Amino acid sequence: MAELKFEIKEHIGTVSESSKGWTKELNIVSWNGANPKFDLRDWAPEHEKMGKCLTFTNEELKNLRDILIDMNLEINAPLFSGVFICVNCKPKCINNS
């Protein structure tokens, strides 16, 4: 298996942190020297290990922002069993856990 090379170009923000110190972060990352993309994933404390992720181009991230704005999320609104239900999803909803 080929070695993955990455460079975190910019740390945008931390979404959450687990009890074991892993953080869910939004970063701008270049993978194997390719053009950097927005990267949302879990990272071990020293970035020595990583979880699966979603990557976004600028346009994709703008589209996601617009979707989230349209959802009119309320700060105190509970999520149903950790599942975020999107009326535009077909055929299934996105698991937010």
Side-chain angles (χ1 to χ4, degrees):
M1 185 157 121
E3 180 182 347
L4 287 176
K5 295 181 182 180
F6 68 92
E7 180 182 358
I8 298 175
K9 300 285 189 175
E10 183 178 347
H11 174 74
I12 305 296
T14 300
V15 177
S16 64
E17 183 173 343
S18 75
S19 61
K20 295 183 179 182
W22 281 64
T23 54
K24 185 171 299 198
E25 300 178 13
L26 179 62
N27 297 305
I28 298 175
V29 180
S30 172
W31 291 95
N32 297 320
N35 287 336
K37 291 187 175 186
F38 291 95
D39 182 283
L40 180 63
R41 75 171 64 237
D42 291 329
W43 290 94
E46 301 299 322
H47 291 118
E48 73 278 8
K49 293 181 183 177
M50 64 194 81
K52 293 181 181 179
C53 80
L54 295 171
T55 60
F56 302 93
T57 63
N58 284 346
E59 188 64 29
E60 291 168 334
L61 196 61
K62 287 177 188 177
N63 291 340
L64 178 59
R65 176 202 59 201
D66 293 344
I67 291 168
L68 294 172
I69 289 170
D70 289 345
M71 289 177 59
N72 294 320
L73 294 173
E74 295 181 25
I75 299 291
N76 295 322
L79 295 176
F80 179 75
S81 301
V83 174
F84 145 31
I85 300 173
C86 176
V87 295
N88 297 319
C89 291
K90 296 176 184 173
K92 295 182 179 180
C93 298
I94 299 170
N95 186 341
N96 192 29
S97 58

